[in-house]
Amino acid sequence: MSSKKYITTPIYYVNDVPHIGHAYTTIIADSAARYFRLKGYDTFFLTGTDEHGQKIEEAAKKRGKSPKEYADEISAKFKKLWDEFEISYDKFIRTTDEEHIKGVQKAFEIMYNKGDIYKGEYEGHYCISCEAFFPESQLIDNEFCPDCGKATRIVKEESYFFRLSKYQDRLLELYKNEEEFILPKSKKNEVIRFVEGGLEDLSITRTSFDWGVKLPPSINDPKHVMYVWLDALLNYITALGYGGDEHLMHYWPADYHLVGKDILRFHAVYWPAFLMSLGLDMPKHIATHGWWTRNGEKMSKSKGNVVDPKTVADAYGLENFRYFLLREVPFGQDGDFSQKALIDRINSDLGNDLGNLLNRVIGMSGKYFDFNIKSSDVERYYKDELNEVKKIISGLDELVTKMRWHKFLEELWKILTIANKSIDRYAPWNLMKEQKEEEAMALIALIANILAKTALLLHPVMPKTTEKIADALGFKIDEASFKRFVDDFEMLDEFKIKKVPPLFPKIEEPLMKEASKEEKKSVLDNKTFEDNIITIDEFFKVQIKVGTVIEAEEVKKSKKLLKLKVDLNEERPRQIVAGIKEHYSPAELLGMQVCVVSNLLPAKLMGIKSEGMILAAKDEEGLTLISPQRKVKEGTPVK
Ligand code: MSP
């Protein structure tokens, strides 16, 4: 068995400040890293920031900063948060690091020399937000990105391609042979379906912007920068020194790449293919979690429904929050964040089941035995309970190795239930009355042992809280005690119990009453509200003019599109393709005045050129076009 574990989080885009989704991935990875360290594995835990690409270039420009200045600022915010959250990463990589860039260039060169990269031309629908091209067949209504729903742009450019198609069979073999390559297994089929659908070669360079890694000097093609996903995925090996001194490469292959479901395909298809091309081993697991939602909707800044992880941790306690994130949602599924759910977990699981149990042990040991518990009779009196506990504990490691943290905690809590029930059933106060002191002492020792094992097993999720439990019981949490009391199921014969203040005071009401106001305030303070504060000059870059619809017809085979001719008082009418067919018939549009964004780069929708965009508002009742309140001259600017 390998004695090392290499665990990674995705590297976070610096176009956004950290939110609960980012915290979730990082906390799972951190818990895993802490677990494996406690088990004695030589563990390397990597996180960092993804700083290149058009999206970042544009976000920086919006704020009047250079991409590097902007990336420095946001990357520092991620690092600061992870430090405040005591995330135990071993390395924080930035894709603007010199060594990373060198490693990426080296990898490109190797793939190129092998014949896996060639030069060609690309034309396709590109989503800037996802930094990805999508075939027409995958677009929503022939225009919108299937992942994020935003409008795609047609991009045509000279590009280098990676021969992804060449690896189709080997990828399918990988999924077949490595049963647990994708975790949870339920996510595997969608990847297989995607690959079976046929893999096209992947465009891996761009010429339309600058903010990216240049091609290696040996290829000498300065127009191109690398596709951000190629650059980003390679972080998992450049962080180990790939292409440089390689001093950490013994950690490769990764044991767990933690990823959200939106980036599974990049990790389960492109990444293994790149690695095959480089002749490197495959990662062991791509562990895929679901999304945190708010009232059923994915959190995003533009919807204004993001939960700031720092606010939650400050209000409810960092470790309670960690427990909640891991316990609340089965790994791989989506989960809805609410204060109510968080409070229930804290009051019920942590307060009632765990905290009260500790209080009972402290109370009873003080009352009956002056805080000294010494017994080697636990097995003699409580064999059945011990066997049950042993059985549950023996199944826990497998749950961690599959990243099933929710199940792990659920099972772990079963041993607390056994402990709580044993107290009620054997009633130590009666045993004492009946002068069965040995039995009463053994019962308290049973409970204290269950608590000790719980503290050891829960330590990766709640490091400080469990240290406090260990301190109250008089033992230390370390690798040696994990081996003895969990792996080998030894019992502690002696406890010197200490009184400690309650670990989980009851929460009576939501502690983040002002959360949404505060969130908005902090967003405004950072001038990032809605991610799109602009200056008046920037606003005036958008030219909006009033025009009159003079022709309107349906676009065949499209559910949503109409083709219009709009008179803007120019030398000829504009042709505009608009997604309004479900709301307006061609006849009712004729003669109507509309507002047109007139200086938008023309785009093609279903192969038809569109030379502007019509403004509309959409709510639950449907879509309505924006029209001046009285008829104005065609071409009148809107300001
Ligand atoms: N930069 C890429 C990853 C490159 S890895 C080689 C990226 N970055 S990201 O910042 O957009 O997202 C990082 C992670 O956060 C992803 O795993 C994503 O799934 C996760 N989350 C972002 N929003 C989320 C929720 N609302 N809920 C849970 N996790 C989600 O993708």
Side-chain angles (χ1 to χ4, degrees), residues 10-13 19 21-22 24-25 50 229 232-233 235-236 258-263 267 289-292 298-299:
I11 45 174
Y12 301 104
Y13 282 134
H19 64 67
H22 305 131
Y24 182 51
T25 323
D50 188 356
W229 270 102
L233 286 163
N235 94 87
Y236 300 132
L258 261 308
V259 299
K261 64 181 183 182
D262 47 330
I263 57 172
H267 284 80
H289 63 73
W291 283 337
W292 280 94
K298 186 179 185 237
M299 277 179 215

PDB file of all heavy atoms in Angstrom, residues 10-13 19 21-22 24-25 50 229 232-233 235-236 258-263 267 289-292 298-299, ligand 1:
ATOM      1  N   PRO A  10      -9.613  22.428  -6.668  1.00  0.00           N
ATOM      2  CA  PRO A  10      -9.448  23.158  -7.927  1.00  0.00           C
ATOM      3  C   PRO A  10      -8.703  24.451  -7.593  1.00  0.00           C
ATOM      4  O   PRO A  10      -8.744  24.909  -6.448  1.00  0.00           O
ATOM      5  CB  PRO A  10     -10.876  23.480  -8.360  1.00  0.00           C
ATOM      6  CG  PRO A  10     -11.778  22.711  -7.468  1.00  0.00           C
ATOM      7  CD  PRO A  10     -11.016  22.393  -6.236  1.00  0.00           C
ATOM      8  N   ILE A  11      -8.042  25.023  -8.574  1.00  0.00           N
ATOM      9  CA  ILE A  11      -7.482  26.351  -8.305  1.00  0.00           C
ATOM     10  C   ILE A  11      -8.568  27.353  -8.682  1.00  0.00           C
ATOM     11  O   ILE A  11      -9.221  27.233  -9.709  1.00  0.00           O
ATOM     12  CB  ILE A  11      -6.148  26.583  -9.040  1.00  0.00           C
ATOM     13  CG1 ILE A  11      -6.209  26.123 -10.493  1.00  0.00           C
ATOM     14  CG2 ILE A  11      -5.036  25.885  -8.295  1.00  0.00           C
ATOM     15  CD1 ILE A  11      -4.972  26.471 -11.286  1.00  0.00           C
ATOM     16  N   TYR A  12      -8.771  28.329  -7.820  1.00  0.00           N
ATOM     17  CA  TYR A  12      -9.942  29.204  -7.936  1.00  0.00           C
ATOM     18  C   TYR A  12      -9.683  30.376  -8.868  1.00  0.00           C
ATOM     19  O   TYR A  12      -8.616  30.988  -8.819  1.00  0.00           O
ATOM     20  CB  TYR A  12     -10.354  29.687  -6.542  1.00  0.00           C
ATOM     21  CG  TYR A  12     -10.681  28.514  -5.647  1.00  0.00           C
ATOM     22  CD1 TYR A  12      -9.805  28.081  -4.659  1.00  0.00           C
ATOM     23  CD2 TYR A  12     -11.846  27.789  -5.861  1.00  0.00           C
ATOM     24  CE1 TYR A  12     -10.094  26.967  -3.881  1.00  0.00           C
ATOM     25  CE2 TYR A  12     -12.145  26.678  -5.088  1.00  0.00           C
ATOM     26  CZ  TYR A  12     -11.267  26.263  -4.106  1.00  0.00           C
ATOM     27  OH  TYR A  12     -11.548  25.164  -3.346  1.00  0.00           O
ATOM     28  N   TYR A  13     -10.681  30.663  -9.687  1.00  0.00           N
ATOM     29  CA  TYR A  13     -10.584  31.823 -10.565  1.00  0.00           C
ATOM     30  C   TYR A  13     -10.522  33.085  -9.729  1.00  0.00           C
ATOM     31  O   TYR A  13     -11.297  33.222  -8.771  1.00  0.00           O
ATOM     32  CB  TYR A  13     -11.827  31.932 -11.454  1.00  0.00           C
ATOM     33  CG  TYR A  13     -11.840  31.000 -12.629  1.00  0.00           C
ATOM     34  CD1 TYR A  13     -12.987  30.272 -12.932  1.00  0.00           C
ATOM     35  CD2 TYR A  13     -10.736  30.867 -13.466  1.00  0.00           C
ATOM     36  CE1 TYR A  13     -13.027  29.423 -14.024  1.00  0.00           C
ATOM     37  CE2 TYR A  13     -10.774  30.016 -14.563  1.00  0.00           C
ATOM     38  CZ  TYR A  13     -11.914  29.301 -14.831  1.00  0.00           C
ATOM     39  OH  TYR A  13     -11.958  28.461 -15.911  1.00  0.00           O
ATOM     40  N   HIS A  19     -16.565  32.238  -2.022  1.00  0.00           N
ATOM     41  CA  HIS A  19     -17.882  32.056  -1.413  1.00  0.00           C
ATOM     42  C   HIS A  19     -18.018  30.643  -0.892  1.00  0.00           C
ATOM     43  O   HIS A  19     -17.067  29.870  -0.921  1.00  0.00           O
ATOM     44  CB  HIS A  19     -19.005  32.465  -2.369  1.00  0.00           C
ATOM     45  CG  HIS A  19     -19.114  31.648  -3.609  1.00  0.00           C
ATOM     46  ND1 HIS A  19     -19.489  30.329  -3.615  1.00  0.00           N
ATOM     47  CD2 HIS A  19     -18.885  31.957  -4.901  1.00  0.00           C
ATOM     48  CE1 HIS A  19     -19.514  29.868  -4.832  1.00  0.00           C
ATOM     49  NE2 HIS A  19     -19.138  30.836  -5.645  1.00  0.00           N
ATOM     50  N   GLY A  21     -19.291  27.947  -1.878  1.00  0.00           N
ATOM     51  CA  GLY A  21     -18.954  26.826  -2.764  1.00  0.00           C
ATOM     52  C   GLY A  21     -17.460  26.547  -2.754  1.00  0.00           C
ATOM     53  O   GLY A  21     -17.021  25.392  -2.689  1.00  0.00           O
ATOM     54  N   HIS A  22     -16.669  27.609  -2.812  1.00  0.00           N
ATOM     55  CA  HIS A  22     -15.219  27.435  -2.758  1.00  0.00           C
ATOM     56  C   HIS A  22     -14.809  26.859  -1.405  1.00  0.00           C
ATOM     57  O   HIS A  22     -13.948  25.979  -1.317  1.00  0.00           O
ATOM     58  CB  HIS A  22     -14.500  28.768  -2.948  1.00  0.00           C
ATOM     59  CG  HIS A  22     -14.882  29.499  -4.199  1.00  0.00           C
ATOM     60  ND1 HIS A  22     -15.229  30.821  -4.204  1.00  0.00           N
ATOM     61  CD2 HIS A  22     -14.979  29.087  -5.486  1.00  0.00           C
ATOM     62  CE1 HIS A  22     -15.520  31.205  -5.429  1.00  0.00           C
ATOM     63  NE2 HIS A  22     -15.390  30.157  -6.229  1.00  0.00           N
ATOM     64  N   TYR A  24     -16.485  25.020   0.511  1.00  0.00           N
ATOM     65  CA  TYR A  24     -16.906  23.615   0.595  1.00  0.00           C
ATOM     66  C   TYR A  24     -15.821  22.691   0.035  1.00  0.00           C
ATOM     67  O   TYR A  24     -15.362  21.771   0.715  1.00  0.00           O
ATOM     68  CB  TYR A  24     -18.213  23.461  -0.184  1.00  0.00           C
ATOM     69  CG  TYR A  24     -18.832  22.084  -0.160  1.00  0.00           C
ATOM     70  CD1 TYR A  24     -19.038  21.410   1.034  1.00  0.00           C
ATOM     71  CD2 TYR A  24     -19.242  21.470  -1.341  1.00  0.00           C
ATOM     72  CE1 TYR A  24     -19.644  20.159   1.046  1.00  0.00           C
ATOM     73  CE2 TYR A  24     -19.853  20.223  -1.336  1.00  0.00           C
ATOM     74  CZ  TYR A  24     -20.042  19.574  -0.141  1.00  0.00           C
ATOM     75  OH  TYR A  24     -20.639  18.338  -0.127  1.00  0.00           O
ATOM     76  N   THR A  25     -15.405  22.951  -1.209  1.00  0.00           N
ATOM     77  CA  THR A  25     -14.363  22.106  -1.823  1.00  0.00           C
ATOM     78  C   THR A  25     -13.123  22.084  -0.940  1.00  0.00           C
ATOM     79  O   THR A  25     -12.521  21.029  -0.712  1.00  0.00           O
ATOM     80  CB  THR A  25     -13.912  22.688  -3.189  1.00  0.00           C
ATOM     81  OG1 THR A  25     -15.010  23.245  -3.870  1.00  0.00           O
ATOM     82  CG2 THR A  25     -13.249  21.646  -4.038  1.00  0.00           C
ATOM     83  N   ASP A  50      -6.263  30.350 -10.049  1.00  0.00           N
ATOM     84  CA  ASP A  50      -6.214  30.202 -11.506  1.00  0.00           C
ATOM     85  C   ASP A  50      -6.326  31.623 -12.065  1.00  0.00           C
ATOM     86  O   ASP A  50      -7.379  32.246 -11.941  1.00  0.00           O
ATOM     87  CB  ASP A  50      -7.434  29.344 -11.903  1.00  0.00           C
ATOM     88  CG  ASP A  50      -7.436  28.938 -13.353  1.00  0.00           C
ATOM     89  OD1 ASP A  50      -6.541  29.375 -14.099  1.00  0.00           O
ATOM     90  OD2 ASP A  50      -8.351  28.184 -13.748  1.00  0.00           O
ATOM     91  N   TRP A 229      -7.562  26.346 -19.522  1.00  0.00           N
ATOM     92  CA  TRP A 229      -7.746  25.052 -18.861  1.00  0.00           C
ATOM     93  C   TRP A 229      -6.514  24.157 -18.975  1.00  0.00           C
ATOM     94  O   TRP A 229      -6.231  23.358 -18.080  1.00  0.00           O
ATOM     95  CB  TRP A 229      -8.993  24.343 -19.394  1.00  0.00           C
ATOM     96  CG  TRP A 229     -10.200  24.704 -18.586  1.00  0.00           C
ATOM     97  CD1 TRP A 229     -11.174  25.593 -18.915  1.00  0.00           C
ATOM     98  CD2 TRP A 229     -10.530  24.217 -17.278  1.00  0.00           C
ATOM     99  NE1 TRP A 229     -12.093  25.691 -17.907  1.00  0.00           N
ATOM    100  CE2 TRP A 229     -11.736  24.859 -16.891  1.00  0.00           C
ATOM    101  CE3 TRP A 229      -9.948  23.322 -16.398  1.00  0.00           C
ATOM    102  CZ2 TRP A 229     -12.344  24.612 -15.661  1.00  0.00           C
ATOM    103  CZ3 TRP A 229     -10.561  23.081 -15.180  1.00  0.00           C
ATOM    104  CH2 TRP A 229     -11.737  23.714 -14.820  1.00  0.00           C
ATOM    105  N   ALA A 232      -4.270  25.616 -16.430  1.00  0.00           N
ATOM    106  CA  ALA A 232      -4.764  25.391 -15.068  1.00  0.00           C
ATOM    107  C   ALA A 232      -4.593  23.935 -14.623  1.00  0.00           C
ATOM    108  O   ALA A 232      -4.111  23.667 -13.522  1.00  0.00           O
ATOM    109  CB  ALA A 232      -6.233  25.793 -14.980  1.00  0.00           C
ATOM    110  N   LEU A 233      -4.988  23.007 -15.480  1.00  0.00           N
ATOM    111  CA  LEU A 233      -4.926  21.597 -15.068  1.00  0.00           C
ATOM    112  C   LEU A 233      -3.489  21.182 -14.751  1.00  0.00           C
ATOM    113  O   LEU A 233      -3.236  20.390 -13.840  1.00  0.00           O
ATOM    114  CB  LEU A 233      -5.514  20.699 -16.161  1.00  0.00           C
ATOM    115  CG  LEU A 233      -7.041  20.761 -16.264  1.00  0.00           C
ATOM    116  CD1 LEU A 233      -7.536  20.211 -17.595  1.00  0.00           C
ATOM    117  CD2 LEU A 233      -7.690  19.992 -15.100  1.00  0.00           C
ATOM    118  N   ASN A 235      -1.387  22.659 -13.226  1.00  0.00           N
ATOM    119  CA  ASN A 235      -0.911  23.081 -11.899  1.00  0.00           C
ATOM    120  C   ASN A 235      -0.690  21.891 -10.971  1.00  0.00           C
ATOM    121  O   ASN A 235       0.138  21.932 -10.078  1.00  0.00           O
ATOM    122  CB  ASN A 235      -1.903  24.072 -11.271  1.00  0.00           C
ATOM    123  CG  ASN A 235      -2.920  23.399 -10.360  1.00  0.00           C
ATOM    124  OD1 ASN A 235      -2.690  23.193  -9.178  1.00  0.00           O
ATOM    125  ND2 ASN A 235      -4.053  23.015 -10.926  1.00  0.00           N
ATOM    126  N   TYR A 236      -1.467  20.816 -11.218  1.00  0.00           N
ATOM    127  CA  TYR A 236      -1.379  19.682 -10.306  1.00  0.00           C
ATOM    128  C   TYR A 236      -0.009  19.001 -10.374  1.00  0.00           C
ATOM    129  O   TYR A 236       0.381  18.304  -9.441  1.00  0.00           O
ATOM    130  CB  TYR A 236      -2.480  18.662 -10.617  1.00  0.00           C
ATOM    131  CG  TYR A 236      -3.897  19.211 -10.480  1.00  0.00           C
ATOM    132  CD1 TYR A 236      -4.847  19.009 -11.485  1.00  0.00           C
ATOM    133  CD2 TYR A 236      -4.284  19.921  -9.346  1.00  0.00           C
ATOM    134  CE1 TYR A 236      -6.146  19.496 -11.357  1.00  0.00           C
ATOM    135  CE2 TYR A 236      -5.579  20.419  -9.212  1.00  0.00           C
ATOM    136  CZ  TYR A 236      -6.500  20.204 -10.223  1.00  0.00           C
ATOM    137  OH  TYR A 236      -7.777  20.683 -10.089  1.00  0.00           O
ATOM    138  N   LEU A 258     -10.286  16.997  -5.795  1.00  0.00           N
ATOM    139  CA  LEU A 258     -11.639  17.402  -5.409  1.00  0.00           C
ATOM    140  C   LEU A 258     -12.142  18.415  -6.416  1.00  0.00           C
ATOM    141  O   LEU A 258     -11.443  19.403  -6.671  1.00  0.00           O
ATOM    142  CB  LEU A 258     -11.587  18.066  -4.038  1.00  0.00           C
ATOM    143  CG  LEU A 258     -11.951  17.266  -2.801  1.00  0.00           C
ATOM    144  CD1 LEU A 258     -13.307  16.591  -2.957  1.00  0.00           C
ATOM    145  CD2 LEU A 258     -10.910  16.254  -2.449  1.00  0.00           C
ATOM    146  N   VAL A 259     -13.324  18.191  -6.965  1.00  0.00           N
ATOM    147  CA  VAL A 259     -13.866  19.145  -7.952  1.00  0.00           C
ATOM    148  C   VAL A 259     -15.377  19.256  -7.796  1.00  0.00           C
ATOM    149  O   VAL A 259     -16.037  18.333  -7.315  1.00  0.00           O
ATOM    150  CB  VAL A 259     -13.569  18.703  -9.411  1.00  0.00           C
ATOM    151  CG1 VAL A 259     -12.080  18.611  -9.663  1.00  0.00           C
ATOM    152  CG2 VAL A 259     -14.248  17.394  -9.769  1.00  0.00           C
ATOM    153  N   GLY A 260     -15.927  20.382  -8.231  1.00  0.00           N
ATOM    154  CA  GLY A 260     -17.377  20.519  -8.294  1.00  0.00           C
ATOM    155  C   GLY A 260     -17.880  19.902  -9.595  1.00  0.00           C
ATOM    156  O   GLY A 260     -17.117  19.748 -10.556  1.00  0.00           O
ATOM    157  N   LYS A 261     -19.163  19.573  -9.639  1.00  0.00           N
ATOM    158  CA  LYS A 261     -19.683  18.831 -10.796  1.00  0.00           C
ATOM    159  C   LYS A 261     -19.543  19.617 -12.104  1.00  0.00           C
ATOM    160  O   LYS A 261     -19.468  19.026 -13.174  1.00  0.00           O
ATOM    161  CB  LYS A 261     -21.136  18.416 -10.558  1.00  0.00           C
ATOM    162  CG  LYS A 261     -22.103  19.584 -10.421  1.00  0.00           C
ATOM    163  CD  LYS A 261     -23.514  19.059 -10.175  1.00  0.00           C
ATOM    164  CE  LYS A 261     -24.488  20.216 -10.114  1.00  0.00           C
ATOM    165  NZ  LYS A 261     -25.857  19.804  -9.842  1.00  0.00           N
ATOM    166  N   ASP A 262     -19.473  20.948 -12.010  1.00  0.00           N
ATOM    167  CA  ASP A 262     -19.355  21.745 -13.229  1.00  0.00           C
ATOM    168  C   ASP A 262     -18.000  21.597 -13.906  1.00  0.00           C
ATOM    169  O   ASP A 262     -17.866  21.940 -15.075  1.00  0.00           O
ATOM    170  CB  ASP A 262     -19.615  23.233 -12.929  1.00  0.00           C
ATOM    171  CG  ASP A 262     -18.849  23.730 -11.710  1.00  0.00           C
ATOM    172  OD1 ASP A 262     -18.606  22.933 -10.798  1.00  0.00           O
ATOM    173  OD2 ASP A 262     -18.487  24.920 -11.688  1.00  0.00           O
ATOM    174  N   ILE A 263     -17.007  21.100 -13.178  1.00  0.00           N
ATOM    175  CA  ILE A 263     -15.696  20.983 -13.818  1.00  0.00           C
ATOM    176  C   ILE A 263     -15.214  19.531 -13.879  1.00  0.00           C
ATOM    177  O   ILE A 263     -14.041  19.262 -14.053  1.00  0.00           O
ATOM    178  CB  ILE A 263     -14.645  21.896 -13.141  1.00  0.00           C
ATOM    179  CG1 ILE A 263     -14.510  21.601 -11.650  1.00  0.00           C
ATOM    180  CG2 ILE A 263     -15.009  23.371 -13.335  1.00  0.00           C
ATOM    181  CD1 ILE A 263     -13.336  22.352 -11.004  1.00  0.00           C
ATOM    182  N   HIS A 267     -11.675  17.493 -15.726  1.00  0.00           N
ATOM    183  CA  HIS A 267     -10.784  16.645 -14.934  1.00  0.00           C
ATOM    184  C   HIS A 267     -10.844  15.172 -15.319  1.00  0.00           C
ATOM    185  O   HIS A 267      -9.883  14.444 -15.119  1.00  0.00           O
ATOM    186  CB  HIS A 267     -11.122  16.783 -13.442  1.00  0.00           C
ATOM    187  CG  HIS A 267     -10.628  18.071 -12.862  1.00  0.00           C
ATOM    188  ND1 HIS A 267     -11.296  19.256 -13.033  1.00  0.00           N
ATOM    189  CD2 HIS A 267      -9.509  18.367 -12.157  1.00  0.00           C
ATOM    190  CE1 HIS A 267     -10.614  20.231 -12.429  1.00  0.00           C
ATOM    191  NE2 HIS A 267      -9.535  19.716 -11.896  1.00  0.00           N
ATOM    192  N   HIS A 289     -18.184  16.857  -6.137  1.00  0.00           N
ATOM    193  CA  HIS A 289     -19.290  17.242  -5.255  1.00  0.00           C
ATOM    194  C   HIS A 289     -20.324  18.065  -6.013  1.00  0.00           C
ATOM    195  O   HIS A 289     -20.080  18.555  -7.111  1.00  0.00           O
ATOM    196  CB  HIS A 289     -18.780  18.011  -4.037  1.00  0.00           C
ATOM    197  CG  HIS A 289     -18.125  19.311  -4.373  1.00  0.00           C
ATOM    198  ND1 HIS A 289     -18.825  20.406  -4.784  1.00  0.00           N
ATOM    199  CD2 HIS A 289     -16.822  19.681  -4.360  1.00  0.00           C
ATOM    200  CE1 HIS A 289     -17.991  21.397  -4.995  1.00  0.00           C
ATOM    201  NE2 HIS A 289     -16.761  20.992  -4.765  1.00  0.00           N
ATOM    202  N   GLY A 290     -21.491  18.231  -5.379  1.00  0.00           N
ATOM    203  CA  GLY A 290     -22.569  19.010  -6.003  1.00  0.00           C
ATOM    204  C   GLY A 290     -22.452  20.484  -5.639  1.00  0.00           C
ATOM    205  O   GLY A 290     -21.419  20.925  -5.134  1.00  0.00           O
ATOM    206  N   TRP A 291     -23.509  21.194  -5.888  1.00  0.00           N
ATOM    207  CA  TRP A 291     -23.500  22.637  -5.656  1.00  0.00           C
ATOM    208  C   TRP A 291     -24.272  23.014  -4.411  1.00  0.00           C
ATOM    209  O   TRP A 291     -25.286  22.393  -4.099  1.00  0.00           O
ATOM    210  CB  TRP A 291     -24.188  23.363  -6.829  1.00  0.00           C
ATOM    211  CG  TRP A 291     -23.328  23.466  -8.027  1.00  0.00           C
ATOM    212  CD1 TRP A 291     -21.963  23.420  -8.084  1.00  0.00           C
ATOM    213  CD2 TRP A 291     -23.780  23.643  -9.369  1.00  0.00           C
ATOM    214  NE1 TRP A 291     -21.543  23.566  -9.377  1.00  0.00           N
ATOM    215  CE2 TRP A 291     -22.631  23.708 -10.183  1.00  0.00           C
ATOM    216  CE3 TRP A 291     -25.038  23.765  -9.951  1.00  0.00           C
ATOM    217  CZ2 TRP A 291     -22.711  23.883 -11.549  1.00  0.00           C
ATOM    218  CZ3 TRP A 291     -25.125  23.935 -11.309  1.00  0.00           C
ATOM    219  CH2 TRP A 291     -23.969  23.986 -12.104  1.00  0.00           C
ATOM    220  N   TRP A 292     -23.818  24.071  -3.777  1.00  0.00           N
ATOM    221  CA  TRP A 292     -24.619  24.693  -2.732  1.00  0.00           C
ATOM    222  C   TRP A 292     -25.549  25.686  -3.394  1.00  0.00           C
ATOM    223  O   TRP A 292     -25.130  26.471  -4.249  1.00  0.00           O
ATOM    224  CB  TRP A 292     -23.728  25.389  -1.703  1.00  0.00           C
ATOM    225  CG  TRP A 292     -23.189  24.375  -0.765  1.00  0.00           C
ATOM    226  CD1 TRP A 292     -21.996  23.729  -0.863  1.00  0.00           C
ATOM    227  CD2 TRP A 292     -23.860  23.829   0.370  1.00  0.00           C
ATOM    228  NE1 TRP A 292     -21.868  22.811   0.148  1.00  0.00           N
ATOM    229  CE2 TRP A 292     -23.002  22.856   0.920  1.00  0.00           C
ATOM    230  CE3 TRP A 292     -25.094  24.055   0.978  1.00  0.00           C
ATOM    231  CZ2 TRP A 292     -23.340  22.118   2.051  1.00  0.00           C
ATOM    232  CZ3 TRP A 292     -25.429  23.313   2.105  1.00  0.00           C
ATOM    233  CH2 TRP A 292     -24.566  22.358   2.634  1.00  0.00           C
ATOM    234  N   LYS A 298     -28.532  27.972  -7.826  1.00  0.00           N
ATOM    235  CA  LYS A 298     -27.082  27.984  -7.633  1.00  0.00           C
ATOM    236  C   LYS A 298     -26.665  29.376  -7.170  1.00  0.00           C
ATOM    237  O   LYS A 298     -27.179  30.363  -7.647  1.00  0.00           O
ATOM    238  CB  LYS A 298     -26.361  27.645  -8.934  1.00  0.00           C
ATOM    239  CG  LYS A 298     -24.861  27.514  -8.707  1.00  0.00           C
ATOM    240  CD  LYS A 298     -24.075  27.151  -9.947  1.00  0.00           C
ATOM    241  CE  LYS A 298     -22.628  26.928  -9.572  1.00  0.00           C
ATOM    242  NZ  LYS A 298     -21.688  27.752 -10.265  1.00  0.00           N
ATOM    243  N   MET A 299     -25.745  29.393  -6.209  1.00  0.00           N
ATOM    244  CA  MET A 299     -25.309  30.703  -5.733  1.00  0.00           C
ATOM    245  C   MET A 299     -24.469  31.384  -6.782  1.00  0.00           C
ATOM    246  O   MET A 299     -23.601  30.768  -7.383  1.00  0.00           O
ATOM    247  CB  MET A 299     -24.425  30.518  -4.513  1.00  0.00           C
ATOM    248  CG  MET A 299     -25.201  30.362  -3.271  1.00  0.00           C
ATOM    249  SD  MET A 299     -24.067  30.124  -1.931  1.00  0.00           S
ATOM    250  CE  MET A 299     -25.042  29.011  -0.963  1.00  0.00           C
TER     251      MET A 299
HETATM  252  N1  MSP B   1     -10.477  27.714 -12.174  1.00  0.00           N
HETATM  253  C1  MSP B   1     -11.380  26.644 -12.363  1.00  0.00           C
HETATM  254  C2  MSP B   1     -10.790  25.354 -11.828  1.00  0.00           C
HETATM  255  C3  MSP B   1      -9.482  24.955 -12.433  1.00  0.00           C
HETATM  256  S1  MSP B   1      -8.869  23.525 -11.677  1.00  0.00           S
HETATM  257  C4  MSP B   1      -7.602  23.065 -12.624  1.00  0.00           C
HETATM  258  C5  MSP B   1     -12.700  26.933 -11.656  1.00  0.00           C
HETATM  259  N2  MSP B   1     -12.680  27.829 -10.689  1.00  0.00           N
HETATM  260  S2  MSP B   1     -13.949  28.358  -9.866  1.00  0.00           S
HETATM  261  O1  MSP B   1     -13.429  29.307  -8.936  1.00  0.00           O
HETATM  262  O2  MSP B   1     -14.951  28.819 -10.758  1.00  0.00           O
HETATM  263  O3  MSP B   1     -14.582  27.153  -9.144  1.00  0.00           O
HETATM  264  C6  MSP B   1     -13.840  26.391  -8.257  1.00  0.00           C
HETATM  265  C7  MSP B   1     -14.666  25.348  -7.560  1.00  0.00           C
HETATM  266  O4  MSP B   1     -15.704  25.939  -6.791  1.00  0.00           O
HETATM  267  C8  MSP B   1     -15.320  24.362  -8.510  1.00  0.00           C
HETATM  268  O5  MSP B   1     -15.060  23.050  -8.062  1.00  0.00           O
HETATM  269  C9  MSP B   1     -16.781  24.677  -8.404  1.00  0.00           C
HETATM  270  O6  MSP B   1     -17.571  23.545  -8.569  1.00  0.00           O
HETATM  271  C10 MSP B   1     -16.856  25.169  -6.962  1.00  0.00           C
HETATM  272  N3  MSP B   1     -18.072  25.951  -6.785  1.00  0.00           N
HETATM  273  C11 MSP B   1     -18.361  27.183  -7.290  1.00  0.00           C
HETATM  274  N4  MSP B   1     -19.651  27.480  -6.964  1.00  0.00           N
HETATM  275  C12 MSP B   1     -20.207  26.463  -6.258  1.00  0.00           C
HETATM  276  C13 MSP B   1     -21.378  26.302  -5.495  1.00  0.00           C
HETATM  277  N5  MSP B   1     -22.346  27.178  -5.477  1.00  0.00           N
HETATM  278  N6  MSP B   1     -21.454  25.173  -4.721  1.00  0.00           N
HETATM  279  C14 MSP B   1     -20.423  24.287  -4.608  1.00  0.00           C
HETATM  280  N7  MSP B   1     -19.320  24.438  -5.286  1.00  0.00           N
HETATM  281  C15 MSP B   1     -19.285  25.338  -6.351  1.00  0.00           C
HETATM  282  O7  MSP B   1     -13.685  26.308 -11.981  1.00  0.00           O
END
